[in-house]
């Protein structure tokens, strides 16, 4: 399981905040931390509308992207920090110019955002690096994904796909958990889940359904400034989710054989019960169901599961209330 904590723009253009997120995510158990590399002039224009009008300080969406930019040296500092704390540094590019920056920084792989899956210019640029690619399928139909997959395969790109719903936050009816298996069957590649639900259950469910990559937004506080804060997990939620997912993976890798319960032999002798009588009974009494009780441990009387074999049988001795009942107490 490869777990990616998505920072995106949660740093709000602050290099110090970006470094703070690296330190915090390193404590959660995630494998990687992912940013987004925006170069405003290369990817946007003054005509780009806000997805959500969240900012009072940015007149246009392009102004916002400018505020999110880091220099090459700053990106290198962030990557070095990730190396120091044992996180893989990742960042999604949104322009060819951003790919050039990330190549200089030295990324191991590329994550393609939902809005770039059909951007074959960007995909061509990334394909030339011959590095693995993770595709987020949020806004793509199978027909569109087929074309993207064909494009990547023709260039011998190692790719994986994430089921994703582009909604912030995503509601349970929008998770699309069924798509995980559909993607596996259709493309025969590693499949994961990219979540924007602001909860832990979606990723936990995705894990049980076979997801091998998880990605979700993280934030220090869901009331923080930014378009993704309310669709993110806190650090505490992230830590709990990672622990749960790791445990679920261990469980899935260790199936239980219900044809063999030999390992429970000792416990069965303790927890299972023997037949007993619930009242004083005289020799010659005919045993009825209402005379029976079961008591621990197993092995001191007839097995509780065999009670039907002694109903209607006569006792060959007196029994006191709560005595165990054995076959030698019954007339043949």
């Amino acid at each position: 399981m490869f777990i990616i904590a998505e920072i995106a723009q949660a740093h709000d253009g602050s290099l110090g905040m970006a470094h703070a997120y690296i330190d915090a995510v390193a404590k959660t158990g995630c494998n990687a931390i992912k940013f987004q590399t925006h170069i405003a002039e290369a990817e946007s224009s003054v005509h780009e509308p806000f997805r959500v009008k969240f900012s009072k300080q940015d007149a246009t969406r392009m102004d916002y992207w400018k505020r999110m930019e880091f220099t090459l040296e700053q990106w290198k500092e962030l990557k070095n920090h990730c190396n120091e704390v044992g996180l893989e540094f990742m960042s999604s590019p949104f322009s060819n110019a951003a790919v050039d920056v990330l190549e200089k920084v030295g990324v191991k792989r590329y994550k393609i955002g939902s809005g770039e899956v059909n951007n074959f210019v960007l995909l061509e640029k990334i394909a030339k690096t011959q590095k693995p690619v993770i595709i987020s399928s949020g806004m793509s139909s199978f027909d569109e994904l087929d074309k993207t997959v064909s494009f990547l395969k023709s260039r011998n790109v190692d790719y994986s796909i994430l089921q994703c719903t582009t909604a912030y936050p995503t509601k349970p009816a929008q998770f699309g958990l069924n798509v995980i298996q559909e993607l596996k069957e259709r493309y025969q590649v590693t499949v994961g889940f990219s979540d924007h639900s602001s909860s832990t259950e979606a990723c936990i469910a995705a894990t049980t359904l076979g997801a091998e990559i998880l990605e979700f937004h993280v934030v220090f506080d869901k009331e923080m400034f930014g378009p993704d804060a309310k669709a993110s997990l806190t650090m505490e939620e992230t830590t709990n989710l990672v622990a749960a997912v790791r445990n679920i993976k261990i469980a899935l890798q260790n199936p239980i054989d219900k044809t063999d319960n030999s390992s429970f032999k000792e416990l069965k002798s303790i927890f299972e019960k023997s037949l007993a009588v619930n009242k004083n009974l005289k020799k010659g009494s005919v045993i009825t169901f209402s005379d029976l009780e079961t008591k621990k441990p197993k092995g001191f009387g007839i097995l509780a599961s065999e009670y039907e074999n002694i109903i209607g049988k006569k006792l060959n001795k007196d029994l006191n209330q709560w005595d165990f009942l054995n076959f030698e107490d019954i007339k043949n």
Side-chain angles (χ1 to χ4, degrees):
M1 176 63 79
F2 188 68
I3 304 178
I4 306 167
E6 164 87 50
I7 302 303
Q9 279 68 248
H11 54 74
D12 198 40
S14 164
L15 183 63
M17 186 68 77
H19 281 288
Y21 271 114
I22 291 172
D23 283 328
V25 169
K27 299 172 185 176
T28 66
C30 289
N31 301 100
I33 185 170
K34 190 179 81 67
F35 297 91
Q36 296 180 2
T37 301
H38 294 282
I39 300 175
E41 296 287 350
E43 75 174 70
S44 184
S45 72
V46 294
H47 305 291
E48 182 188 2
F50 280 95
R51 185 186 84 220
V52 178
K53 184 60 179 174
F54 66 92
S55 176
K56 297 187 185 320
Q57 62 181 307
D58 305 299
T60 67
R61 184 74 159 163
M62 187 175 176
D63 289 336
Y64 176 66
W65 295 133
K66 284 182 179 178
R67 216 162 46 76
M68 295 302 106
E69 291 182 9
F70 293 134
T71 66
L72 173 60
E73 289 308 311
Q74 289 171 330
W75 281 121
K76 287 181 176 180
E77 290 173 17
L78 291 170
K79 181 180 183 296
N80 288 338
H81 188 175
C82 289
N83 293 343
E84 291 169 2
V85 296
L87 286 172
E88 179 179 332
F89 170 86
M90 296 178 66
S91 188
S92 293
F94 290 85
S95 63
N96 285 9
V99 175
D100 289 334
V101 169
L102 292 176
E103 279 299 290
K104 292 174 182 176
V105 173
V107 294
K108 293 181 179 179
R109 71 190 90 204
Y110 283 94
K111 163 67 197 306
I112 308 301
S114 296
E116 306 295 331
V117 173
N118 302 313
N119 182 352
F120 285 6
V121 173
L122 179 63
L123 293 181
E124 182 71 76
K125 179 76 172 180
I126 291 173
K128 291 181 184 301
T129 71
Q130 283 298 292
K131 291 178 180 176
V133 169
I134 301 173
I135 304 167
S136 214
S137 65
M139 294 187 285
S140 302
S141 65
F142 273 128
D143 181 58
E144 290 172 319
L145 281 175
D146 286 347
K147 291 181 174 64
T148 297
V149 165
S150 178
F151 182 90
L152 294 173
K153 289 174 71 173
S154 70
R155 287 151 177 80
N156 297 314
V157 176
D158 179 9
Y159 70 95
S160 51
I161 303 178
L162 306 184
Q163 159 53 12
C164 173
T165 299
T166 307
Y168 303 82
T170 312
K171 298 176 182 177
Q174 300 172 306
F175 289 170
L177 294 170
N178 60 293
V179 181
I180 294 171
Q181 195 58 41
E182 292 173 12
L183 288 169
K184 281 179 173 281
E185 293 172 358
R186 191 179 188 95
Y187 300 115
Q188 301 294 307
V189 295
T190 298
V191 170
F193 187 73
S194 180
D195 184 41
H196 307 110
S197 70
S198 187
S199 64
T200 59
E201 62 260 25
C203 283
I204 289 173
T207 301
T208 66
L209 292 171
E212 298 175 75
I213 302 170
L214 294 178
E215 178 191 60
F216 44 85
H217 285 259
V218 299
V219 72
F220 284 126
D221 190 291
K222 296 183 185 185
E223 297 302 318
M224 290 180 71
F225 178 85
D228 303 317
K230 285 182 169 52
S232 303
L233 298 182
T234 64
M235 294 301 163
E236 181 179 6
E237 288 173 325
T238 299
T239 300
N240 293 338
L241 172 60
V242 171
V245 166
R246 301 292 188 207
N247 287 335
I248 290 168
K249 271 299 180 183
I250 292 172
L252 292 173
Q253 291 163 1
N254 291 274
I256 298 299
D257 180 6
K258 289 297 286 182
T259 64
D260 179 13
N261 67 346
S262 59
S263 63
F264 295 106
K265 184 177 179 180
E266 184 176 345
L267 286 176
K268 283 171 70 68
S269 70
I270 296 173
F271 286 107
E272 293 187 357
K273 295 180 177 179
S274 304
L275 286 180
V277 294
N278 60 19
K279 58 179 70 73
N280 294 331
L281 294 175
K282 294 294 185 181
K283 179 180 178 179
S285 296
V286 176
I287 299 172
T288 66
F289 181 80
S290 63
D291 297 325
L292 299 178
E293 187 53 89
T294 58
K295 294 173 59 175
K296 297 175 183 176
K298 175 183 177 181
F300 281 74
I302 297 168
L303 292 176
S305 59
E306 297 182 14
Y307 82 94
E308 290 178 303
N309 295 330
I310 56 93
I311 298 295
K313 300 291 179 66
K314 290 184 179 180
L315 290 176
N316 60 20
K317 60 185 286 190
D318 291 346
L319 289 179
N320 295 320
Q321 184 182 32
W322 310 129
D323 281 350
F324 286 108
L325 179 62
N326 286 281
F327 282 114
E328 56 264 31
D329 303 328
I330 298 168
K331 291 182 179 179
N332 292 328

